[in-house]
Each structure stands twice: as structure tokens, then as C-alpha cells.
Amino acid sequence: MGATAATVGTAVGFGSGARAASPQDRRPGGGAGAEASADLVFDPDAYAESTLTIEDTGGVAHEVVYRFHKVASYVAAPVDATYQSLNVSVPVRIDGTAVDATGAPILLANAIGGYMPSSVANNTGIVATGMGGATSRQALALAAGYVVVEPGARGRTLVDASGVHYGTAPAAIVDLKAAVRYLKFNRGRVPGDVRRIVSSGVSAGGALSALLGASGDSPLYDPYLKAIGAADTSDAIFAAGAWCPIIDLEHADMAYEWCWGANPLSGGAQVDPTVSGELKAAYAGHLASLGLRAKGFGALTARNLDAYLLRTHLEPSATRYLAALPDADRVAYLAANPFITWTGGTSGGASGGASGGGSGSGSGGRAAFSWDGFLTHVGARKKNAPSFDGFTLGTPENNLFGTGTTKARHFTLYSLRHESGGSARLDADIPAKLDLMNPMHHLVENLNRDRAKHWWIRLGTKDTDTSLSVAGNLSARLTSLGDDVDTAYYWDAGHGADQDPGAFVEWIGEVTGYRHQGRSQG
């Protein structure tokens, strides 16, 4: 993909450097507040115009002319504008045809990984290449006629000159909410339909995308948003796309051992069986507290969760994969993986991707296998036990819940008491911060009626960065609430996989009801 830029307007620039974070910035109730709204006005005439060749998922190249707007900060009192800034890309011509994006949906595509800081301050155009060198989903969205917003956000490793960590929880979600508020505050000035904002993200970014969708307009975040001078308006979004979302962190160690506890580490060693067993046993109580239900299974418990995942997600994933293979390839795969029983669909020929339905060869077939067989097929687990709240405070999540000059803290009683004794208590602020970082809080304990109602959830079946039950629980809860949920697991794919980006872009058009003349996505 190539890009040729021609400047049409003067792009909004960034200051020479971000100001240092101060206690006032980080304290709920501080900051500039609504009186600084004049600082948040979007200038529609400040942009650079570029031409970009974008190859869609069908291999067809599209010439897209777009306007690239840089916003120095989406809040009036930024802690660090290097991260609290965003870029807006607006298509004006696609394959020579003029595009009016006034009513187009807006894709809010975060690039957050590992809860690390994410900055777009030095970008001079849309991020057109995604993981593995493929066309990014935001470039595909631009070629489909959508407005694309790429926000930066603070992250857990940011430390100011006095040694204070100013990007730990809940900074990242607060920043994404502030970015949404900026867009809604500028309705009629920012191109696109601010009532149709669709978020996307992968891993920690996927968790934050899900959290953004689940927690729209929750008052729990108001003090933090006020502190940074966020616009005084709604932060609810229309839809959320989440790839391998690592959520429910306070129960993630339990979920991981429930799922992968029997699997060895990459070197062949087993994790501490006592730790793994205790965490796995504790997961049963957590599942009961969620009150999850699924059609055909009733209440989801530690006893039937494996069957639910198999029948609802894993066997359909394997079926799609195998049905799409040519006969010879499918026969070879089944021979190499005898744990799978394949019935029907043995005639004809087929081709297609792992996530597609395929036709012909195997199109009427079905894959079936046991949970134990599947676990053996996956093989090595990526993380030790505990996987998230590490005993030695060495995980990214330990850092995520750091505060002040303290880099990392325990956020579960299990790990804290393992290290500090049975009478130890979590720091007083931890429970509230866990609620602020967990979409399930807004879907179960404190059900949010202003959540997004459309969901796209994806996960690889060999993703041992997290438990396969995490995305399954999220999907089950949203489905039982009556939301529109499109969930699929990619067979044999690992962490961060995205095998149907074109379908996601098409899905945005479907759920928002948007089409533009001459739209071609491939």
C-alpha cells in the first residue's frame, strides 16, 4: 500500500512536549471541567489530504482520497497530550467517486496492547497496515466509506519526573471515554455520525473496547473524566468489536487454571499443582455468581462450561475450518488429528479461509471431539500460575494496578495472602478500580442500560494468553441480555488473530444501516 499526500489545510499540530503530570490531574474532582469546552472544538478545515491505495480482503485495490485531521488533545486538561490525542480520517473519494461521509459510522480503532501507552501524535496518516502486514481494519473501514478515529491513551508504564505512575488503572479507559466524549461534543463538526461509533481493539485493547461498550455513561468514571477536562456529554457507543479480550482480571487466574491447568508449559514442565488446583476450584464459585445461562445448557457452571464451549464455539470453529478445506487437505488434517470425529460432507471440492463457511467439500460435515482431546491438541500453555496476579508482582496486570510511586500491586486476595499471610487485605482502592476495569461489572452486578447493543467477539482456539471461557462468558451474558452478538472462535489460531476483517467492516455497515453508493469491500 502506498500513500501520496497533498496538503490542503494546515493540520492541527502538537505542542513541543507534554506537560508533566501533577497530583491535581490524577485526583478525582480536579482538572479544568466543563468550563474548558471551548478548547475542545474540532476544526473541520484543518486537515491534510492524502491518496492511499488500499487492498481489500478480496485482493482488489482501491484508490482512496481522504482528509487527515490531527487533534492535539481530546481533553482540556491533558495529563500527557502525547497520548491523549487522536487522529480523524475522512474519505472524500473512493475509486474516483465522491463520498459524503457526513452520515457514515465512525470506527474508533484503538491500538493498545498490554495496557501499554499508545500514541498517535507522530502519525502523518491512517495506520494502513495491521498485524502480519495485512491491510488494517481501519484502512478497510476507510475504503468502505466510514470515518476512522485513531485515539491514543495513557498506559501503565508512564512515570513522571517525581516517580509517580500516571497511566495505571483506570487511565486507559478514562482516556477512551474522553475521546468518545470529544467526538460527541463535536457533533456536526466532526465528520461522521457520532451516534454510530463502533470501537475495536485487540487483547488489552479488546478488553478496553468491550469495557467501553459495556460501561457507556456510567457515573463511576465521572470524577476521572472531570479531572482531565473531558467534554461534559455522553460516552456511550453504538457497537464494540473485541478480539481476544482479556477481561474479568480479578478472576482471570481462576479461569486460566480451569481452562489450561492440565497443560504443560512450553518446556514440558507442569505448573505448581496446588496453586493450579486451588484457583481452578475457586472458579466454580465465581461462575455461580455470574448467573450465566445459555440456550440448551441452562445455568452455566464449572461442570458444564466445557460442554458449552465445545458445542457453542469450538466444534463449530473446527467444522468451519474443515468444511472449507479441499478433500485431500481435510483428510490429511483429520489423519494428523484423530481426536476429531468428522461426520458427513465427504464429497465435492472446496476452498476458502479458516473462518469462512466454505462450500462443496465437507459443507455438510460436522466436527466433534472431547474437551480433553482438544486440550491435548492445543498443547503448551503460555503462562505460569498464577497467570495475571503474579506472586512476585511481575505481570503487566500487577503494574496496571500500581498507584502513586508504587509500580505494582496485588489485586486478588489469593495472591496477596499467598505472599503476605491469611490476614492480609487488599488496598482500599482496589475493589473500585477492578469494577472500573471490568466490563462484566457493568453487565452483571451493576447492569448498564446504556451499554452498546451490538457486539463482535473473536478469539483463537489456541490462544493461551487467556482462558477460552472469558470471551465465552462475555458472549453468553450479552446474548442472554438480548443484545446482537456475533461471536466466533478461529480454529487453531493464536493470540491476536483476525481472520475475517472484511466481514467485520461489512458487519459495521449492517448494524448501523449504512451504505454509500459504489461501496465495494471485497
Side-chain angles (χ1 to χ4, degrees):
M1 291 176 288
T4 305
T7 301
V8 173
T10 303
V12 177
F14 294 93
S16 58
R19 67 181 181 85
S22 69
Q24 175 80 354
D25 294 322
R26 293 182 297 275
R27 187 178 67 247
E35 67 272 13
S37 294
D39 296 336
L40 300 178
V41 175
F42 178 83
D43 183 356
D45 296 322
Y47 60 84
E49 188 167 286
S50 295
T51 300
L52 184 66
T53 299
I54 298 174
E55 185 177 287
D56 66 26
T57 55
V60 178
H62 301 277
E63 183 183 80
V64 179
V65 180
Y66 72 102
R67 293 175 178 175
F68 184 71
H69 303 258
K70 294 186 73 66
V71 174
S73 184
Y74 47 70
V75 291
V79 179
D80 193 335
T82 301
Y83 302 98
Q84 294 170 298
S85 58
L86 59 79
N87 297 330
V88 181
S89 296
V90 185
V92 292
R93 286 193 302 280
I94 299 175
D95 293 332
T97 300
V99 173
D100 179 4
T102 302
I106 298 173
L107 175 62
L108 183 77
N110 82 66
I112 297 167
Y115 294 101
M116 297 285 283
S118 177
S119 176
V120 298
N122 294 323
N123 293 5
T124 58
I126 193 171
V127 176
T129 304
M131 294 180 65
T135 305
S136 68
R137 69 179 62 92
Q138 52 263 48
L140 292 173
L142 189 73
Y146 308 157
V147 174
V148 177
V149 176
E150 297 168 297
R154 290 169 290 164
R156 60 182 174 80
T157 58
L158 295 175
V159 185
D160 70 12
S162 62
V164 172
H165 295 261
Y166 64 95
T168 53
I173 185 60
V174 170
D175 285 352
L176 292 181
K177 283 177 169 289
V180 172
R181 288 188 174 203
Y182 175 86
L183 297 173
K184 291 198 171 185
F185 174 78
N186 283 286
R187 179 178 178 179
R189 292 184 289 264
V190 168
D193 186 351
V194 299
R195 301 167 302 175
R196 296 292 184 267
I197 296 174
V198 181
S199 71
S200 70
V202 179
S203 191
L208 290 165
S209 180
L211 180 57
L212 191 64
S215 65
D217 289 341
S218 168
L220 296 180
Y221 303 86
D222 287 347
Y224 297 94
L225 290 161
K226 182 180 179 182
I228 57 175
D232 185 15
T233 187
S234 170
D235 53 62
I237 61 172
F238 183 77
W243 285 257
C244 46
I246 301 179
I247 63 169
D248 201 3
L249 293 176
E250 59 266 46
H251 305 104
D253 289 324
M254 303 175 191
Y256 197 95
E257 297 312 313
W258 175 87
C259 188
W260 307 120
N263 289 43
L265 293 164
S266 58
Q270 294 289 336
V271 301
D272 185 318
T274 299
V275 171
S276 179
E278 289 174 347
L279 287 167
K280 179 179 179 179
Y283 195 46
H286 172 56
L287 282 172
S289 73
L290 291 176
L292 300 176
R293 301 187 66 84
K295 185 177 180 180
F297 295 90
L300 296 181
T301 70
R303 292 187 297 275
N304 69 356
L305 187 62
D306 54 355
Y308 160 74
L309 290 173
L310 281 172
R311 306 293 180 263
T312 308
H313 300 299
L314 300 179
E315 289 178 344
S317 174
T319 298
R320 288 191 298 270
Y321 174 82
L322 290 165
L325 292 177
D327 281 349
D329 291 348
R330 186 172 61 261
V331 169
Y333 187 93
L334 290 169
N337 296 279
F339 78 98
I340 300 176
T341 299
W342 179 256
T343 56
T346 58
S347 63
S351 61
S355 63
S359 61
S361 169
S363 61
R366 180 182 179 276
F369 42 86
S370 69
W371 179 251
D372 288 342
F374 169 73
L375 292 180
T376 300
H377 172 69
V378 172
R381 55 187 279 168
K382 181 175 181 178
K383 299 180 178 181
N384 210 324
S387 302
F388 296 90
D389 190 357
F391 290 152
T392 62
L393 296 174
T395 72
E397 290 77 19
N398 289 133
N399 182 199
L400 176 65
F401 290 100
T403 187
T405 57
T406 300
K407 178 181 178 180
R409 292 187 294 172
H410 288 300
F411 53 92
T412 67
L413 277 175
Y414 181 84
S415 290
L416 175 65
R417 289 177 174 174
H418 185 278
E419 297 302 298
S420 303
S423 63
R425 295 289 185 270
L426 293 171
D427 288 349
D429 65 309
I430 288 289
K433 286 187 175 175
L434 289 168
D435 289 346
L436 291 169
M437 297 302 295
N438 190 353
M440 297 302 281
H441 171 75
H442 305 277
L443 301 174
V444 180
E445 300 105 302
N446 188 18
L447 181 59
N448 180 21
R449 303 295 179 184
D450 295 322
R451 68 186 181 278
K453 301 302 193 298
H454 303 275
W455 299 82
W456 177 275
I457 302 171
R458 294 294 187 269
L459 181 71
T461 63
K462 284 192 173 183
D463 185 351
T464 63
D465 279 56
T466 185
S467 170
L468 299 186
S469 66
V470 170
N473 290 353
L474 176 63
S475 178
R477 178 56 176 163
L478 292 167
T479 300
S480 68
L481 291 174
D483 291 358
D484 168 34
V485 187
D486 188 321
T487 303
Y489 285 47
Y490 304 126
W491 186 250
D492 278 354
H495 192 60
D498 181 5
Q499 297 181 353
D500 50 359
F504 171 66
V505 173
E506 293 286 348
W507 176 80
I508 293 175
E510 291 167 6
V511 298
T512 62
Y514 180 76
R515 294 289 187 276
H516 79 77
Q517 188 176 3
R519 179 168 177 247
S520 176
Q521 182 52 40

Coordinates of all heavy atoms in Angstrom, one line a residue, residues 89-133:
S89 N -9.7 10.3 10.2 CA -9.5 10.2 8.7 C -10.9 10.1 8.1 O -11.7 9.3 8.5 CB -8.7 8.9 8.4 OG -7.4 9.0 8.9
V90 N -11.1 10.9 7.0 CA -12.4 11.0 6.4 C -12.3 10.8 4.9 O -11.6 11.5 4.2 CB -13.0 12.4 6.7 CG1 -14.4 12.5 6.1 CG2 -13.0 12.8 8.1
P91 N -12.9 9.7 4.3 CA -12.8 9.5 2.9 C -13.6 10.6 2.1 O -14.7 11.0 2.5 CB -13.5 8.1 2.7 CG -14.4 8.0 3.9 CD -13.8 8.8 5.0
V92 N -13.0 11.1 1.0 CA -13.7 12.0 0.2 C -13.9 11.5 -1.2 O -14.9 11.9 -1.9 CB -13.0 13.4 0.2 CG1 -13.1 14.1 1.5 CG2 -11.6 13.3 -0.3
R93 N -13.1 10.6 -1.7 CA -13.3 9.9 -3.0 C -12.7 8.5 -2.9 O -11.7 8.3 -2.4 CB -12.5 10.7 -4.1 CG -13.1 12.0 -4.5 CD -12.6 12.5 -5.9 NE -11.1 12.7 -5.8 CZ -10.5 13.8 -5.2 NH1 -11.3 14.7 -4.7 NH2 -9.2 13.9 -5.2
I94 N -13.5 7.6 -3.4 CA -13.1 6.2 -3.5 C -13.3 5.7 -4.9 O -14.4 5.8 -5.5 CB -14.0 5.3 -2.5 CG1 -13.9 5.8 -1.1 CG2 -13.6 3.8 -2.6 CD1 -14.8 5.1 -0.1
D95 N -12.1 5.3 -5.5 CA -12.1 4.8 -6.9 C -12.7 5.9 -7.8 O -13.5 5.6 -8.7 CB -12.8 3.5 -7.0 CG -12.1 2.4 -6.3 OD1 -10.9 2.4 -6.1 OD2 -12.8 1.4 -5.9
G96 N -12.4 7.1 -7.5 CA -12.8 8.2 -8.4 C -14.2 8.7 -8.1 O -14.6 9.8 -8.7
T97 N -15.0 8.1 -7.2 CA -16.3 8.5 -6.9 C -16.3 9.3 -5.6 O -15.8 8.9 -4.6 CB -17.3 7.3 -6.7 OG1 -17.3 6.6 -8.0 CG2 -18.7 7.8 -6.4
A98 N -17.0 10.5 -5.6 CA -17.0 11.4 -4.5 C -17.8 10.7 -3.4 O -18.8 10.0 -3.6 CB -17.7 12.7 -4.8
V99 N -17.4 10.9 -2.1 CA -18.0 10.3 -1.0 C -18.4 11.4 0.0 O -17.6 12.2 0.4 CB -17.1 9.2 -0.3 CG1 -17.7 8.7 1.0 CG2 -16.8 8.1 -1.2
D100 N -19.6 11.4 0.5 CA -20.1 12.2 1.5 C -20.2 11.4 2.8 O -21.1 10.6 3.0 CB -21.4 12.9 1.2 CG -21.9 13.8 2.3 OD1 -21.2 14.0 3.3 OD2 -23.1 14.3 2.2
A101 N -19.2 11.6 3.7 CA -19.2 10.8 4.9 C -19.9 11.4 6.1 O -19.8 11.0 7.2 CB -17.7 10.6 5.3
T102 N -20.8 12.4 5.8 CA -21.5 13.1 6.9 C -22.2 12.1 7.8 O -22.2 12.2 9.0 CB -22.4 14.1 6.3 OG1 -21.7 15.1 5.5 CG2 -23.2 14.9 7.4
G103 N -22.9 11.2 7.2 CA -23.7 10.2 8.0 C -23.0 8.9 8.1 O -23.7 7.9 8.5
A104 N -21.7 8.8 7.9 CA -21.1 7.5 8.0 C -20.8 7.1 9.4 O -20.6 7.9 10.3 CB -19.7 7.6 7.2
P105 N -20.8 5.8 9.7 CA -20.4 5.3 11.0 C -18.9 5.7 11.3 O -18.2 5.9 10.4 CB -20.6 3.8 10.9 CG -20.6 3.5 9.5 CD -21.1 4.6 8.8
I106 N -18.6 5.7 12.5 CA -17.2 6.1 13.0 C -16.6 4.9 13.6 O -17.1 4.4 14.6 CB -17.2 7.3 14.0 CG1 -17.8 8.5 13.3 CG2 -15.8 7.6 14.5 CD1 -18.0 9.7 14.2
L107 N -15.5 4.4 13.1 CA -14.7 3.3 13.7 C -13.7 4.0 14.6 O -12.8 4.7 14.2 CB -14.0 2.5 12.7 CG -13.1 1.4 13.2 CD1 -13.9 0.4 14.1 CD2 -12.4 0.7 12.1
L108 N -13.8 3.7 15.9 CA -12.8 4.1 16.9 C -11.9 3.0 17.2 O -12.2 2.1 17.9 CB -13.6 4.5 18.2 CG -12.7 5.1 19.3 CD1 -12.3 6.6 19.0 CD2 -13.4 5.0 20.6
A109 N -10.7 3.0 16.5 CA -9.8 1.9 16.5 C -8.6 2.2 17.4 O -7.7 2.9 17.1 CB -9.3 1.6 15.1
N110 N -8.6 1.5 18.6 CA -7.5 1.7 19.5 C -6.4 0.7 19.2 O -6.7 -0.4 18.6 CB -7.9 1.6 21.0 CG -8.1 0.2 21.5 OD1 -7.1 -0.5 21.6 ND2 -9.3 -0.2 21.8
A111 N -5.2 1.1 19.5 CA -4.0 0.2 19.2 C -3.3 -0.2 20.5 O -2.1 -0.3 20.5 CB -3.0 0.9 18.2
I112 N -4.1 -0.3 21.5 CA -3.5 -0.6 22.9 C -3.2 -2.1 23.0 O -4.0 -2.9 22.7 CB -4.5 -0.2 24.0 CG1 -4.7 1.3 23.9 CG2 -4.0 -0.5 25.3 CD1 -5.9 1.8 24.7
G113 N -2.0 -2.4 23.5 CA -1.5 -3.7 23.7 C -0.9 -3.8 25.1 O -0.1 -3.0 25.5
G114 N -1.3 -4.8 25.9 CA -0.6 -5.0 27.2 C -0.9 -3.8 28.2 O -0.1 -3.7 29.1
Y115 N -1.9 -3.1 28.0 CA -2.2 -1.9 28.8 C -1.0 -0.9 28.7 O -0.8 -0.1 29.7 CB -2.5 -2.2 30.2 CG -3.8 -3.0 30.3 CD1 -3.8 -4.4 30.4 CD2 -5.1 -2.3 30.2 CE1 -5.0 -5.1 30.5 CE2 -6.3 -3.0 30.3 CZ -6.2 -4.4 30.4 OH -7.4 -5.1 30.4
M116 N -0.2 -0.9 27.7 CA 0.9 0.0 27.5 C 0.4 1.3 26.9 O -0.7 1.4 26.3 CB 1.9 -0.6 26.5 CG 2.6 -1.9 27.0 SD 3.8 -1.6 28.3 CE 5.2 -1.0 27.3
P117 N 1.2 2.4 27.0 CA 0.8 3.6 26.4 C 0.7 3.5 24.9 O 1.4 2.7 24.3 CB 1.9 4.6 26.8 CG 2.7 3.9 27.9 CD 2.5 2.5 27.7
S118 N -0.3 4.2 24.3 CA -0.5 4.2 22.9 C -0.6 5.7 22.4 O -1.4 6.4 22.9 CB -1.8 3.5 22.6 OG -2.0 3.5 21.2
S119 N 0.3 6.0 21.4 CA 0.3 7.4 20.9 C 0.1 7.4 19.4 O 0.6 6.6 18.7 CB 1.6 8.0 21.3 OG 1.7 9.4 20.8
V120 N -0.6 8.4 19.0 CA -0.8 8.7 17.5 C -0.2 10.1 17.2 O -0.4 10.6 16.1 CB -2.3 8.6 17.1 CG1 -2.8 7.2 17.3 CG2 -3.1 9.6 17.9
A121 N 0.5 10.7 18.1 CA 0.9 12.1 18.0 C 1.8 12.3 16.8 O 1.8 13.3 16.2 CB 1.6 12.5 19.3
N122 N 2.6 11.3 16.4 CA 3.6 11.5 15.3 C 3.1 10.9 14.0 O 3.8 10.9 13.0 CB 4.9 10.8 15.7 CG 5.6 11.6 16.9 OD1 5.5 12.8 17.0 ND2 6.2 10.8 17.8
N123 N 1.9 10.3 14.0 CA 1.4 9.8 12.8 C 1.0 10.9 11.8 O 0.5 11.9 12.1 CB 0.1 8.9 13.1 CG 0.4 7.7 13.9 OD1 1.5 7.5 14.3 ND2 -0.6 6.9 14.1
T124 N 1.3 10.6 10.5 CA 1.0 11.6 9.4 C -0.1 11.1 8.5 O -0.4 11.7 7.5 CB 2.3 11.8 8.6 OG1 2.8 10.6 8.1 CG2 3.4 12.5 9.5
G125 N -0.6 9.9 8.8 CA -1.7 9.4 8.0 C -2.3 8.2 8.8 O -1.8 7.8 9.9
I126 N -3.4 7.6 8.2 CA -4.0 6.5 8.9 C -3.1 5.3 9.0 O -2.2 5.1 8.1 CB -5.3 6.1 8.1 CG1 -6.2 5.2 8.9 CG2 -5.0 5.5 6.7 CD1 -7.6 4.9 8.3
V127 N -3.2 4.5 10.0 CA -2.4 3.3 10.1 C -3.0 2.3 9.2 O -4.1 1.7 9.4 CB -2.4 2.8 11.6 CG1 -1.6 1.4 11.6 CG2 -1.8 3.8 12.5
A128 N -2.3 2.0 8.0 CA -2.9 1.3 7.0 C -2.5 -0.2 7.0 O -3.2 -1.0 6.3 CB -2.5 1.8 5.6
T129 N -1.5 -0.6 7.8 CA -1.1 -2.0 7.8 C -1.3 -2.5 9.2 O -0.9 -1.9 10.2 CB 0.4 -2.1 7.5 OG1 0.6 -1.5 6.2 CG2 0.9 -3.5 7.4
G130 N -1.9 -3.7 9.3 CA -2.2 -4.3 10.6 C -1.2 -5.4 10.9 O -0.1 -5.5 10.3
M131 N -1.6 -6.3 11.8 CA -0.7 -7.4 12.2 C -0.4 -8.3 11.1 O -1.3 -8.6 10.3 CB -1.3 -8.2 13.4 CG -1.5 -7.4 14.6 SD -2.3 -8.3 16.0 CE -1.0 -9.6 16.3
G132 N 0.9 -8.7 10.9 CA 1.3 -9.6 9.9 C 1.4 -9.0 8.5 O 1.5 -9.7 7.5
G133 N 1.3 -7.7 8.4 CA 1.4 -7.0 7.2 C 0.1 -6.9 6.4 O 0.2 -6.3 5.2

